[in-house]
């Protein structure tokens, strides 16, 4: 059932109107909406999965890859999705928090209070689980959202959003808290990016191309992220066994995500010993390597090692591929990272606290690590609960964008007749 | 002396390079740079004022208004400007502050630390004092800046920036911390807005037209603000004498700034008594009024009152003009404000704490006021020190953008070999 009568301005107006209701909603009411969403997804799973099966059948017919079909498949994911919604209901509500307060010399009482941002525009790919994740986080943080998912999931998303809207309305909050652009026409993405009057923030969840498109076409502030070229630099004092475990984990634990390792930098004084161990340890799990000329000297006998090409250190691999490079100094390592990292997750493996302090201070990424895997840059791992995105831009939020990152603040000034002199 | 050989990409690269040095600079060194700037402005005031005199002479010849010529004139302002730089040197350094820290269940030590943003692009009008203000705040916050001021002040700004750059270099920090686009060609503004690779944030300081241009053309995050349609709503329980003082202060204290009052909303039950008092009290200082039909009933005998036109409640007056409107309920007042405010500064005048609480909660502006003048929405007044801008957007910073607003944060993760399972 495709909606052929889409009016984005009207959607924007309704989202903005609903946002006032959500902003004023007490925590308990928002939590009841989340429980209602979870219950409704559970009780209406048959009809949701029927629509999902139609998307899957089309996907197969259109030759989608197994990986894409797997992402699209709700059958084995719905229980986890429902559990996640229930979990968001248990997280603390950031709205209303007093960030700071003080009394000014003229007796004005000044406080800074956390408030919702307003209307989110979220653009994502063929992952129907994102639809539910975003809806739950949006409602909990007192915001509203206009969603636009991948074209391969239109029926799944429409079914999910209908269930969510009904559930939200069932507790007395506006159904328009969550709206979905029910069309595969990409022109609506461009239109959404210009809805400056109604939409407060754009979250693109996808590849570098989508981010670039949003950055270049949006008149609304955009939070970009979810793309990383991640580095680990190994110093001579590193505990080699632990360093190998960390490199192995960062590269192989989930190679297709943004906090996965892309490049290992090794100090020249340990390259002869350490590089072959990296290649052997990770090679067992199918990792292949792209080594620059100085690194390849030490590992040229391994079939899994190839000479790095000119762009190989500025590539996010998203696969079991790892760059290898030898450096002479900590400065050279930091310079390489600053030149090639996209500011996501970078780390140093060392027992030297001074080197670590310099690295942590000077490498300007959303998260910097000392003797730990880059895979920890994640809202759940950081104890922030679920995340809407992982930001690599410097304004508003860096790293995991969880509930707090979905809020802003306002200044509240309480007086007794004060005027400015 | 016009620089005809401007290469913005090269300026961006130098700014980014310098930003690494500024980010790592200790507080003491940055403060010494500020003192050096103040000393140099003082000792080189003759040559600065000579260049300023040339700008002023051109301005007169080109028929600039007295108001513009006054803004351009450094003669009577330089002492204040120098004192402001010395004051910024005494403010606390936000860089390095640990915003939060905790140990995760897996013993990872996690902290969130304040860091500089990087490179600022600041576009402003014919106010050479802004050049020095921005330079001082930029250096103090560990950032660097590319500046572009109004065309009428090119010689003044060039002279100031040369002095600033020399002073910064004299303490061992890079002169390229502060660069100036030495050209009156507006094409460079468009070019600056596309320097995504090197510039982290754009601050337009000017009118709504400049903000719109930046929003629509920048691929870099923009902080807009400095434009406000500000409201005060007077409830029946208000202390009328105090309310009149506050309205008078908000409207007449400095009518040309963004936190000046634009519209007074009055509850219908007190309109007959209160509106004539407003008109008389403010009329003495030359304020004229634009009243909507219900308001004009009560004040039609005053020459200073005219019927409001269709756009008069969506206009930032920047002058001794005040809109008057009668409302029946608090809800109607809030609805009017939400429809017309630009999210800068809005307040309620009442003795009813419940009404005040609802207003402060539901009006979504950068600062909301209860029984106080909107003129307090200001970095200095809020105790934040000098401000770079007053933001009316919801991301990153709202209201006064002072030193803290010129920073971001990064996550620092310290481990002992932890991997993700």
């Amino acid at each position: 059932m495709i909606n052929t009568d889409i009016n984005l301005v009207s959607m924007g107006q309704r989202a903005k109107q609903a946002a006032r209701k959500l902003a004023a909603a007490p925590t308990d009411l928002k939590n009841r909406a989340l429980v209602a969403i979870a219950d409704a997804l559970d009780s209406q799973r048959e009809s949701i999965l029927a629509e999902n099966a139609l998307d899957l059948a089309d996907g197969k017919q259109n030759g989608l890859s197994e990986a894409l079909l797997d992402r699209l498949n709700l059958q084995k994911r719905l229980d986890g999705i429902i559990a996640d919604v229930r979990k968001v209901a248990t997280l603390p509500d950031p709205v209303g928090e007093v960030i700071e307060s003080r009394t000014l010399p003229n007796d004005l009482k000044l406080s800074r209070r956390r408030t919702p941002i307003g209307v989110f525009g979220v653009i994502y790919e063929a992952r129907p689980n994102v639809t539910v994740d975003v809806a739950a986080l949006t409602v909990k943080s007192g915001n509203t959202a206009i969603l636009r998912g991948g074209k391969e999931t239109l029926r799944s998303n429409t079914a999910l959003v209908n269930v969510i809207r009904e559930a939200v309305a069932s507790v007395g909050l506006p159904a328009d808290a969550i709206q979905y652009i029910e069309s595969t026409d990409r022109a609506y993405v461009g239109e959404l990016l210009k809805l400056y009057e109604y939409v407060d923030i754009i979250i693109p969840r996808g590849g570098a191309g989508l981010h670039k498109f949003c950055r270049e076409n949006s008149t609304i502030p955009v939070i970009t992220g979810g793309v990383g070229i991640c580095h680990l630099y190994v110093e001579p004092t590193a505990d080699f066994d632990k360093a190998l475990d960390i490199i192995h984990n960062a590269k192989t634990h989930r190679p297709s995500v943004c906090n996965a390792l892309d490049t290992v930098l090794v100090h020249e004084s340990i390259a002869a010993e350490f590089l072959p161990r990296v290649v052997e340890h990770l090679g067992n799990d199918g990792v292949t390597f792209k080594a620059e000329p100085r690194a390849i000297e030490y590992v040229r006998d391994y079939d899994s090692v190839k000479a790095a090409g000119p762009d190989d250190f500025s590539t996010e691999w998203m696969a079991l591929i790892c760059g290898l490079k030898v450096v002479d100094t900590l400065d050279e390592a930091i310079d390489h990272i600053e030149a090639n990292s996209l500011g996501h997750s970078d780390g140093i493996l060392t027992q030297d606290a001074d080197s670590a302090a310099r690295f942590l201070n000077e490498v300007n990424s959303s998260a910097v690590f000392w003797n730990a895997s880059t895979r920890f840059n994640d809202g759940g791992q950081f104890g922030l609960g679920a995340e809407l995105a992982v930001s690599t831009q410097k304004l508003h939020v860096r790293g995991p964008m969880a509930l707090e990152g979905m809020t802003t603040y306002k200044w509240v000034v309480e007086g007794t007749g004060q005027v400015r002199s």
Side-chain angles (χ1 to χ4, degrees), chain A:
Chain A
M1 193 178 63
I2 307 267
N3 186 342
T4 52
D5 187 28
I6 296 171
N7 180 334
L8 270 190
V9 169
S10 153
M11 288 178 76
Q13 288 167 335
R14 295 205 305 272
K16 190 170 177 173
Q17 199 62 35
R20 285 180 60 187
K21 295 276 196 300
L22 268 289
T27 304
D28 173 60
L29 181 59
K30 295 186 290 188
N31 287 343
R32 280 196 284 132
L34 294 180
V35 171
I37 291 171
D39 289 346
L41 292 172
D42 199 11
S43 65
Q44 296 180 54
R45 67 169 64 220
E46 267 182 51
S47 60
I48 293 167
L49 292 176
E51 293 296 311
N52 185 240
L54 295 175
D55 278 340
L56 279 167
D58 276 2
K60 264 177 212 156
Q61 203 166 348
N62 295 330
L64 289 193
S65 70
E66 279 305 314
L68 266 179
L69 287 170
D70 180 63
R71 286 180 181 188
L72 212 157
N73 195 334
L74 281 175
Q75 182 81 46
K76 58 184 180 185
R77 276 207 186 82
L78 200 52
D79 284 332
I81 291 171
I82 292 168
D84 284 346
V85 175
R86 294 194 198 280
K87 196 177 160 208
V88 173
T90 69
L91 294 174
D93 184 354
V95 174
E97 184 201 340
V98 176
I99 302 168
E100 58 175 317
S101 71
R102 59 182 176 279
T103 302
L104 300 176
N106 59 3
D107 278 335
L108 278 179
K109 283 199 272 180
L110 178 69
S111 65
R112 200 149 63 102
R113 297 191 198 162
R114 217 176 269 297
T115 67
I117 289 173
V119 180
F120 280 63
V122 186
I123 304 157
Y124 51 105
E125 295 169 327
R127 309 181 83 137
N129 60 308
V130 172
T131 307
V132 184
D133 287 353
V134 171
L137 291 168
T138 300
V139 169
K140 178 74 182 220
S141 56
N143 293 292
T144 66
I146 297 174
L147 310 179
R148 208 285 189 177
K151 62 180 187 305
E152 304 84 354
T153 49
L154 184 60
R155 281 176 295 210
S156 308
N157 283 336
T158 303
L160 290 167
V161 168
N162 286 340
V163 169
I164 290 166
R165 286 170 56 90
E166 265 178 43
V168 169
S170 76
V171 304
L173 284 169
D176 284 333
I178 305 298
Q179 296 181 82
Y180 190 79
I181 302 176
E182 282 180 48
S183 168
T184 57
D185 187 343
R186 289 202 64 176
Y188 289 116
V189 173
E191 223 181 294
L192 177 62
L193 299 180
K194 305 288 186 202
L195 277 187
Y196 173 77
E197 209 178 326
Y198 309 110
V199 177
D200 295 293
I201 178 170
I202 295 287
I203 311 283
R205 284 183 55 155
L210 175 63
H211 290 168
K212 188 163 182 285
F213 182 79
C214 289
R215 208 158 56 224
E216 291 179 353
N217 291 282
S218 181
T219 58
I220 302 164
V222 179
I223 300 283
T224 54
V227 180
I229 297 177
C230 303
H231 300 76
L232 286 172
Y233 167 53
V234 189
E235 274 221 328
T237 64
D239 177 321
F240 283 10
D241 290 335
K242 286 184 179 170
L244 285 168
D245 278 351
I246 291 170
I247 291 169
H248 181 268
N249 183 260
K251 180 70 257 178
T252 68
H253 183 251
R254 207 169 154 204
S256 66
V257 294
C258 52
N259 56 19
L261 177 65
D262 293 286
T263 301
V264 173
L265 305 170
V266 176
H267 190 272
E268 61 86 23
S269 69
I270 57 166
E273 180 183 353
F274 192 71
L275 278 176
R277 289 188 64 183
V278 171
V279 170
E280 285 179 17
H281 194 65
L282 275 67
N284 292 337
D285 288 308
V287 177
T288 60
F289 300 88
K290 305 277 195 170
E292 50 88 70
R294 288 184 67 191
I296 212 164
E297 280 180 37
Y298 304 104
V299 286
R300 66 168 74 250
D301 294 341
Y302 296 90
D303 290 341
S304 60
V305 179
K306 301 277 178 288
D311 298 327
D312 281 351
F313 291 102
S314 51
T315 297
E316 183 186 29
W317 291 117
M318 311 290 282
L320 287 173
I321 304 171
C322 186
L324 299 176
K325 183 178 166 75
V326 171
V327 296
D328 288 323
T329 60
L330 174 59
D331 281 303
E332 190 186 345
I334 294 175
D335 286 347
H336 178 90
I337 292 170
E338 286 296 291
N340 292 281
S341 167
L342 299 174
H344 197 294
S345 303
D346 298 288
I348 184 169
L349 307 178
T350 183
Q351 302 300 322
D352 182 332
D354 290 340
S355 294
R358 268 202 61 203
F359 186 97
L360 298 176
N361 195 37
E362 293 182 26
V363 172
N364 193 13
S365 299
S366 81
V368 286
F369 294 86
W370 177 19
N371 291 341
S373 171
T374 54
R375 286 280 294 128
F376 286 112
N377 190 359
D378 172 277
Q381 297 294 318
F382 281 0
L384 308 174
E387 73 198 10
L388 181 67
V390 177
S391 162
T392 55
Q393 70 159 50
K394 293 177 182 170
L395 297 199
H396 188 67
V397 63
R398 285 190 100 186
M401 183 179 196
L403 288 171
E404 185 185 302
M406 295 174 73
T407 64
T408 179
Y409 61 81
K410 65 179 163 193
W411 296 91
V412 177
V413 185
E414 299 174 338
T416 51
Q418 282 87 344
V419 297
R420 187 162 163 190
S421 54

